[in-house]
Amino acid sequence: MNTIDAETLRSWLEEGRQVIVLDVRSAADRASWAIPGSLHVDAYAELKAHNPHALDSLSLPSDVPVVTVCNSGYTSQIASKQLIARGIEAHSLEGGMQAWSLSWNTADVPLPSSSAEVIQIRRVGKGCLSYLIGSQDKAVVIDAALQPEVYLDLAQSRGWSITAVLDTHIHADHLSRSRLLAERSDATVYLPDQERVRYPFTALHDGFTINVGVVALTAIQTPGHTQESMSYLLDRQALFTGDTLFLQGVGRPDLHASAEEARAHAHLLYQTLQHLLALPGHTLILPGHANAPMPFDKIPLTASLGDLRNQVKLLQLSESEFVETLVSRIPPVPPNHERIIELNEAGSLIENPIELEAGANNCAIS
Ligand SMILES: [Fe+2]
């Protein structure tokens, strides 16, 4: 069977190789998450029924390889066989979108006035953003959401050793890899001060500073999305906001909270955002999630605080308007979020987290 694994497809896309990614899932499945730049044909039912004409309406160039994709890699094999029969070089993505969940790409974040280098590491299969910040020969990772080797290899390629690993909050949509990364790199785990996480960590309080090489990361308490949420300010240049402030919206206030608590969290989030909006307009905002699959374009997902102030409507509302809008727009809860929170509090990673983490992240309200 002509298949390729997710890492091979990831590297092809990263190299900019000519390839057509053909998504054969139903429109409903595709709506939750997709591979950036992929072509869609809603042929799922017909392929499953082994209709040999399922892809007949599709016209494809014969000189560009095709990678067929479905949910778990079975229906895409039927599709690739049909394309091969038409003389097209076709491969089926092993494990489908489930396996793609751990795919990633990177973008360098330009910070002209800081001596730090920042790499945005994007879990393209899910929308989680983490950051590797290096200065001299040291580095820190914020919100590790991928297997430790990704961060270790990137750090090594720049001549950095990872000395600190931070989370912005206790995540509900994916398993934090921070504890495991810290173990592999002999780094210290820093977490916002709270009493929920049950493995050893160094607690961060508002104003606490972590030095990396010659630069400083300062913790700013930013409750609202969750009670313990923190943002980290790098050299007064860039602010890593986790799920507090995104490029199109703000964090949802309801996870791990009752309806009444969600309303109280929305008030807290409003106060937090007012506090952040007082920072200089040139501060670069680096959020913890993206709301759409990020292309392999090496362009970082970031915006200045001044631009967000103008673009994000929610930031222009009064406190009561903000709270009412937020509670009226609460999106569906991430699948398995209670179990994910439990594992993040315990610091446990399970053997195969992909199924547990399946689905798009739903952390934002815009
Ligand atoms: Fe979150």
Side-chain angles (χ1 to χ4, degrees):
M1 180 34 70
N2 209 6
T3 62
I4 61 164
D5 62 15
E7 176 52 28
T8 305
L9 177 58
R10 193 198 80 74
S11 61
W12 284 4
L13 294 173
E14 184 139 274
E15 289 161 18
R17 233 201 240 206
Q18 257 215 328
V19 57
I20 294 170
V21 179
L22 181 65
D23 187 339
V24 298
R25 293 175 299 159
S26 69
D29 282 346
R30 182 174 167 87
S32 69
W33 206 251
I35 297 180
S38 56
L39 193 70
H40 181 228
V41 56
D42 194 344
Y44 195 69
E46 290 189 46
L47 286 166
K48 276 201 94 164
H50 292 272
N51 175 352
H53 304 293
L55 301 175
D56 280 4
S57 63
L58 200 65
S59 99
L60 292 167
S62 56
D63 56 345
V64 180
V66 175
V67 176
T68 57
V69 182
C70 68
N71 292 315
S72 48
Y74 295 105
T75 312
S76 56
Q77 287 186 21
I78 303 170
S80 68
K81 271 188 202 157
Q82 292 193 5
L83 295 177
I84 291 166
R86 278 163 60 176
I88 293 170
E89 180 191 337
H91 313 263
S92 166
L93 179 65
E94 280 168 29
M97 286 304 286
Q98 279 194 15
W100 181 253
S101 160
L102 285 173
S103 286
W104 54 277
N105 64 29
T106 65
D108 286 349
V109 180
L111 276 183
S113 314
S114 168
S115 58
E117 283 176 57
V118 177
I119 307 173
Q120 184 176 62
I121 300 153
R122 300 102 71 91
R123 185 171 166 184
V124 283
K126 194 163 165 64
C128 308
L129 304 176
S130 45
Y131 297 92
L132 177 65
I133 305 154
S135 168
Q136 295 184 324
D137 59 347
K138 302 279 187 291
V140 49
V141 175
I142 297 179
D143 284 337
L146 288 156
Q147 54 277 36
E149 294 70 32
V150 173
Y151 305 97
L152 292 167
D153 291 351
L154 281 166
Q156 197 188 23
S157 71
R158 306 260 177 141
W160 303 330
S161 63
I162 297 170
T163 55
V165 173
L166 285 65
D167 275 349
T168 51
H169 63 292
I170 300 166
H171 295 282
D173 65 306
H174 68 270
L175 297 181
S176 169
R177 270 67 167 186
S178 292
R179 184 185 189 189
L180 186 62
L181 175 60
E183 279 171 11
R184 295 274 171 87
S185 52
D186 215 11
T188 305
V189 182
Y190 294 92
L191 298 178
D193 186 36
Q194 35 67 40
E195 288 176 354
R196 288 165 52 199
V197 168
R198 300 192 297 280
Y199 61 88
F201 65 92
T202 301
L204 289 172
H205 300 268
D206 190 55
F208 193 103
T209 292
I210 297 164
N211 294 308
V212 195
V214 293
V215 299
L217 266 178
T218 306
I220 303 178
Q221 212 160 22
T222 50
H225 169 61
T226 64
Q227 198 75 29
E228 78 287 352
S229 284
M230 277 197 155
S231 299
Y232 302 113
L233 184 62
L234 174 68
D235 260 2
R236 295 168 184 264
Q237 297 285 311
L239 185 68
F240 302 89
T241 52
D243 291 359
T244 294
L245 175 59
F246 299 110
L247 304 186
Q248 281 87 19
V250 303
R252 61 188 299 164
D254 62 302
L255 292 176
H256 210 60
S258 66
E260 210 172 300
E261 286 164 342
R263 187 171 279 275
H265 287 183
H267 279 284
L268 267 177
L269 184 59
Y270 179 83
Q271 297 302 336
T272 283
L273 293 167
Q274 296 312 300
H275 182 55
L276 294 184
L277 286 167
L279 289 167
H282 63 75
T283 310
L284 217 49
I285 301 301
L286 294 159
H289 283 110
N291 64 350
M294 38 308 248
F296 285 70
D297 57 5
K298 306 220 176 271
I299 300 173
L301 291 159
T302 184
S304 73
L305 184 63
D307 285 347
L308 289 188
R309 200 182 279 138
N310 295 328
Q311 287 160 16
V312 178
K313 295 276 178 290
L314 284 169
L315 299 178
Q316 296 156 14
L317 302 179
S318 68
E319 181 164 349
S320 59
E321 288 169 337
F322 178 85
V323 171
E324 291 314 315
T325 309
L326 242 55
V327 297
S328 70
R329 288 187 192 167
I330 298 218
V333 289
N336 311 318
H337 72 286
E338 290 293 359
R339 175 80 181 126
I340 291 174
I341 290 172
E342 216 174 84
L343 287 164
N344 281 335
E345 288 173 348
S348 315
L349 267 180
I350 52 171
E351 185 99 0
N352 181 5
I354 292 176
E355 214 163 308
L356 190 72
E357 295 177 320
N361 71 78
N362 267 336
C363 300
I365 298 180
S366 53

